[in-house]
Amino acid sequence: MSVSFATQSCDFATRLRAPPGVPLITFTICRYPPGQRFWALRQMGLARRPLAHTPGLDFHRLLGSGASPGFSLRPDLGRYALLAAWSSEHAADDFFAAAPLLRAWREHSAELWTVKLLPRRSRGSWAGHCPFPPSTLELPPLPVVVITRASLRLRALLSFWRRVPAINRDLLASPGLRLALGVGELPWLRPVTVSLWDDDAALERGAFQGPRHHQAARAAIDHSWFR
């Protein structure tokens, strides 16, 4: 699955607001100091119940993180992410302002960063769900976020991962790239990437025109690496 968004990532209560009733996506990264890492790991299980009962939360995934930018086989046990789809921006604001779960995350973490997203394009599904309905809103020029998710076949693991270091080097050298983070539910088998770009032009140059990325994408299609 791949999806691109328009985003504004300043203070969480931004001056640019989604119209009432328009679905909103949030992506949150929590970084924990060494003394809190076991607590953070337990949250991957304990946070499921309160999230399942959060008003206005239509879809969510708790995600682990790789230890280096882009895809990574090594986990970062001090960094976790939450991807969430909300029925409205008001529902998201209520959660981030007052939810006991978020208060606990803030108290234990060294850093917590959230970006609000409006879907612009979406292709494929996430475990049978389509949580990112594209918006038809007219938006001012904004940075662009791209999220991709793959479900790898076991026979494709070696072929896929041996290409990753070269692709990461090309990606991180791309002008206009602000952030590239590898996350996932099962990162080795179901890797997810989140990348933040200055604008559409930077995205097109970096993500879709890099020769190694293009070659890997073609190989994935030709050899059916993905489920």
Side-chain angles (χ1 to χ4, degrees), residues 204-218:
E204 293 290 337
R205 289 192 304 268
F208 300 133
Q209 295 180 11
R212 291 185 177 91
H213 184 273
H214 179 77
Q215 292 165 9
R218 173 49 54 189

Side-chain angles (χ1 to χ4, degrees), residues 68-223:
S68 60
F71 284 125
S72 175
L73 284 170
R74 294 187 299 112
D76 184 341
L77 298 180
R79 184 171 60 188
Y80 296 88
L82 170 66
L83 178 65
W86 303 91
S87 60
S88 68
E89 188 165 9
H90 179 74
D93 286 348
D94 285 348
F95 173 77
F96 283 95
L101 178 63
L102 255 291
R103 184 165 59 248
W105 287 5
R106 288 192 180 98
E107 289 172 353
H108 286 83
S109 66
E111 181 182 15
L112 188 148
W113 179 81
T114 297
V115 61
K116 289 179 173 179
L117 308 164
L118 289 175
R120 295 174 52 195
R121 297 193 300 268
S122 181
R123 182 175 62 191
S125 63
W126 190 308
H129 298 275
C130 296
F132 309 119
S135 171
T136 58
L137 295 174
E138 292 293 331
L139 297 171
L142 291 170
V144 178
V145 167
V146 176
I147 296 176
T148 64
R149 176 187 184 266
S151 185
L152 291 166
R153 300 181 188 275
L154 288 176
R155 61 177 172 77
L157 289 181
L158 180 60
S159 298
F160 175 84
W161 284 105
R162 72 182 180 185
R163 293 175 182 259
V164 163
I167 293 173
N168 279 347
R169 287 193 297 271
D170 285 354
L171 176 68
L172 297 177
S174 300
L177 177 70
R178 300 189 185 187
L179 170 73
L181 179 64
V183 293
E185 303 140 292
L186 294 171
W188 288 12
L189 292 173
R190 298 175 189 161
V192 177
T193 58
V194 179
S195 57
L196 172 60
W197 303 83
D198 283 344
D199 50 34
D200 285 325
L203 166 62
E204 293 290 337
R205 289 192 304 268
F208 300 133
Q209 295 180 11
R212 291 185 177 91
H213 184 273
H214 179 77
Q215 292 165 9
R218 173 49 54 189
I221 294 171
D222 292 343
H223 301 293

